[in-house]
Amino acid sequence: MISQNSFIPNALKSLLEWRVWLYMGLQDIKARFRRSAIGPLWILINLAMMVLGAGMVYGVLLKQPMEEFLPYLTCGLILWGFLVASFVEGGYAFISSEGYIKQFSFPKQIYLFRVLVSLFIILMIGVVALAGTLLFFDRFNPLGWLYALPGVAILLAAGLGHITLSAYLSARFRDLPHALSGIFQVLFFVTPIMFPVAMLKDRGLDFIYKFNPFYYLVDVIRFPILEGTLAVKQDYMFCAAYLTLLWVVCIALGSKMDKKVVYML
Amino acid sequence: MSDISIILRDASVVFTGQTDLVGRVKNTILRRPSASNTKEYTINALSNVNLTIARGERVGLIGLNGAGKSTLLKVMARIYPTTTGIAQTRGHVCPMFELATGFEMNQSGWDNIKIRALLLGLKPKEIKAKMQEIAEFSELGEFLNYPVRTYSAGMFIRLAFSVSTAINPEVLLLDEVMGAGDINFAHKAKERMKKFMAQGKILVFSSHSPELVSDFCERTIWLEKGKIRMDGKTDQVLKSYADNYQATV
């Protein structure tokens, strides 16, 4: 039945179809590396090159101790990768599933979850690398990982929100994913990933991270893993505010566009 | 919950769009009136369609190309929401529309079978049980191990057809899917199709073949320019349809 506002019921229905989107997301990862000899190892190799390359240069430039800076950088990079992909790859969620959307009567939201699954798997591969880095520097703290779990839940909720936002808007405005990847290149340099937060504070540049939601999304995971305690309370409050805002926008947008998307593909 | 049925009340579908989106954006930015150099189009694909199809009915859809047959089927399948009016379909829908699209090109035939079966609403257990049968019917043999980008057009159709007809549908919606594959397969497909269509508790299918329509359907709907021109007993509708176009030829 097609009711006036079908977005929320359809989204819940999609959630229950976890078998479908889980399988499709897993297959996407498999397909991505199907004809490559070492497959997902590339994720690790690319990450290692980035961490070593950028880590050496920036670590020396910024006069950072390597045993602190490299884990910090690794953690920041994998989380940042997830955030960027949630916008950029999220933009293709509906576009690349066009053949299915026009052919099967499934609620479209399964294609949003499908993207989230593959992004999460890539994130997890990165997490393995992070654990390795921490062990190497003898800074692995199991308790910290436990404290990072609320942050992971926040990141996933935000990721799904970004995918939703980007998927609906990109179906209408096809230039959006291209624009977003450019915007995120800029954001990368104003988010504390390659440099520690303390450096901004020292130079009175607090505003650069204080109003940057991506900083908080990164920090609620990075801080507990590196420091072994929960992040500061304000971080969680800021994340909660951001998530609320994000999801209000998503629900409004989804409700408005859900019935139109199929005609835009 | 009431019984399996399809109900449309004043259902309309309007396609709108611009042939020149860049021009439109420019106009918005420069605050020029939009009509000056862009082409906006609207197509009334369906206008005020009213119909009720109850459990057990088999309905044929006829009409010229562009009459709205596919659009109507997609509305019934809950793929196209109506622009105005109401469309309700109760029951598990099995659509069979574009057999040649919706594949994961880099994944194997087996993987694609599984994805399509999941999207048709099969549970993983049922898929496991039916996998072998689907594979055999498709006659794709070892090609199933290869990525589907190596397939020919006919092989795509064979794969999709084999999956779609392996399920047990309540509401079966078909869009011109007869005659899939080569001469061997087409014959087999026809036989299977007949069995499959007999299973559906509701069957709606579009076709340009009067024989098929009269073989399967007691009721036929004739669409013309997005409107129902005639809805009634198959032999009467087919006769009027033939008379109408014979006269103009």
Side-chain angles (χ1 to χ4, degrees):
Chain A
M1 171 174 169
I2 292 162
S3 64
Q4 217 44 44
N5 186 347
S6 50
F7 176 67
I8 293 173
N10 278 344
L12 294 175
K13 224 175 117 193
S14 302
L15 198 59
L16 294 177
E17 297 288 352
W18 57 273
R19 285 191 189 91
V20 182
W21 48 260
L22 192 62
Y23 183 76
M24 291 182 94
L26 288 169
Q27 285 301 118
D28 286 342
I29 295 289
K30 261 173 73 185
R32 179 183 298 205
F33 298 110
R34 176 147 279 159
R35 287 203 289 172
S36 110
I38 54 171
L41 270 181
W42 276 115
I43 299 176
L44 296 179
I45 294 171
N46 291 341
L47 185 66
M49 289 197 292
M50 182 80 180
V51 168
L52 289 177
M56 294 300 171
V57 175
Y58 279 75
V60 173
L61 267 182
L62 305 173
K63 302 193 181 70
Q64 295 296 314
M66 283 300 163
E67 71 276 13
E68 274 177 35
F69 189 61
L70 290 188
Y72 176 87
L73 191 61
T74 311
C75 192
L77 282 175
I78 62 173
L79 296 173
W80 183 257
F82 178 88
L83 285 173
V84 175
S86 68
F87 276 100
V88 175
E89 293 193 28
Y92 297 103
F94 290 143
I95 295 170
S96 61
S97 302
E98 176 186 348
Y100 296 133
I101 292 176
K102 286 191 174 167
Q103 209 177 152
F104 298 105
S105 350
F106 256 95
K108 295 180 258 318
Q109 287 76 15
I110 61 165
Y111 307 108
L112 304 176
F113 292 120
R114 169 194 186 178
V115 174
L116 186 66
V117 168
S118 48
L119 295 189
F120 184 68
I121 294 168
I122 293 175
L123 178 67
M124 285 302 115
I125 296 172
V127 164
V128 174
L130 175 62
T133 315
L134 286 165
L135 285 170
F136 180 80
F137 289 109
D138 201 19
R139 301 175 76 88
F140 186 84
N141 182 349
L143 200 61
W145 290 70
L146 204 63
Y147 283 131
L149 288 179
V152 174
I154 291 169
L155 187 75
L156 286 180
L160 187 60
H162 299 157
I163 293 169
T164 307
L165 204 63
S166 189
Y168 280 99
L169 288 175
S170 299
R172 175 72 182 80
F173 304 102
R174 298 294 169 99
D175 302 73
L176 193 65
H178 305 287
L180 283 171
S181 56
I183 290 168
F184 273 94
Q185 272 174 11
V186 177
L187 284 175
F188 180 71
F189 290 104
V190 297
T191 306
I193 303 286
M194 301 276 278
F195 48 86
V197 192
M199 293 190 70
L200 290 177
K201 282 184 191 157
D202 293 346
R203 280 154 223 202
L205 294 168
D206 304 36
F207 66 93
I208 285 182
Y209 73 91
K210 273 203 169 144
F211 301 103
N212 182 347
F214 303 119
Y215 161 71
Y216 295 98
L217 292 175
V218 167
D219 212 45
V220 289
I221 297 178
R222 186 173 57 190
F223 192 86
I225 286 182
L226 298 181
E227 306 296 330
T229 60
L230 282 173
V232 291
K233 211 167 137 201
Q234 284 121 299
D235 281 15
Y236 293 102
M237 279 159 61
F238 200 101
C239 285
Y242 176 71
L243 281 185
T244 312
L245 184 71
L246 177 68
W247 276 98
V248 166
V249 174
C250 282
I251 290 171
L253 186 76
S255 305
K256 197 167 174 282
M257 289 186 72
D258 199 42
K259 292 170 83 174
K260 296 182 186 157
V261 165
V262 65
Y263 296 113
M264 291 169 181
L265 293 174
Chain B
M1 206 62 192
S2 66
D3 201 15
I4 297 160
S5 64
I6 301 174
I7 299 169
L8 268 67
R9 290 280 165 269
D10 283 321
S12 299
V13 171
V14 182
F15 293 99
T16 54
Q18 292 84 29
T19 47
D20 178 16
L21 196 65
V22 176
R24 199 178 111 102
V25 172
K26 269 189 203 155
N27 286 339
T28 314
I29 295 167
L30 299 174
R31 306 197 169 195
R32 281 192 306 220
S34 194
S36 64
N37 62 354
T38 60
K39 290 182 187 119
E40 295 199 17
Y41 59 88
T42 57
I43 300 161
N44 295 308
L46 282 185
S47 334
N48 301 311
V49 171
N50 282 293
L51 57 85
T52 303
I53 299 173
R55 190 191 186 101
E57 281 200 273
R58 291 168 203 292
V59 181
L61 285 181
I62 55 170
L64 303 181
N65 290 337
K69 302 186 294 291
S70 302
T71 307
L72 181 57
L73 284 167
K74 283 188 176 171
V75 168
M76 290 175 171
R78 306 184 202 116
I79 293 172
Y80 281 173
T82 54
T83 312
T84 57
I86 294 168
Q88 287 186 2
T89 301
R90 292 182 201 279
H92 181 84
V93 176
C94 170
M96 256 174 95
F97 297 151
E98 299 149 29
L99 290 178
T101 61
F103 290 91
E104 295 299 326
M105 287 299 167
N106 289 320
Q107 300 185 24
S108 71
W110 296 108
D111 293 339
N112 273 284
I113 290 178
K114 185 152 183 208
I115 289 177
R116 293 184 81 88
L118 282 168
L119 286 172
L120 286 167
L122 282 188
K123 298 274 168 292
K125 258 190 197 161
E126 301 172 278
I127 296 174
K128 234 181 199 165
K130 286 185 176 171
M131 205 65 159
Q132 211 46 50
E133 189 221 321
I134 293 170
E136 267 165 36
F137 190 84
S138 74
E139 290 179 12
L140 288 168
E142 65 173 316
F143 273 98
L144 286 172
N145 299 325
Y146 305 151
V148 298
R149 76 189 126 74
T150 60
Y151 285 19
S152 70
M155 290 161 80
F156 280 118
I157 293 176
R158 263 153 60 166
L159 188 140
F161 182 91
S162 308
V163 181
S164 290
T165 52
I167 75 160
N168 200 346
E170 286 182 342
V171 177
L172 182 53
L173 306 170
L174 311 173
D175 194 7
E176 314 260 6
V177 284
M178 294 298 171
D182 54 32
I183 202 161
N184 257 331
F185 193 76
H187 178 71
K188 217 170 89 169
K190 222 167 205 171
E191 290 306 305
R192 173 131 158 179
M193 205 64 208
K194 283 184 182 166
K195 267 191 220 149
F196 184 56
M197 285 157 89
Q199 288 174 0
K201 296 178 180 79
I202 284 183
L203 167 72
V204 183
F205 82 105
S206 72
S207 178
H208 287 295
S209 152
E211 295 84 48
L212 267 174
V213 174
S214 50
D215 274 1
F216 278 104
C217 308
E218 314 77 74
R219 177 179 169 191
T220 296
I221 295 170
W222 170 10
L223 284 174
E224 193 181 66
K225 291 177 185 158
K227 294 190 174 108
I228 294 184
R229 167 90 181 251
M230 198 174 168
D231 179 356
K233 287 215 167 6
T234 296
D235 45 355
Q236 291 168 3
V237 177
L238 282 177
K239 190 170 179 306
S240 312
Y241 183 67
D243 288 349
N244 185 59
Y245 290 108
Q246 232 107 60
T248 56
V249 166

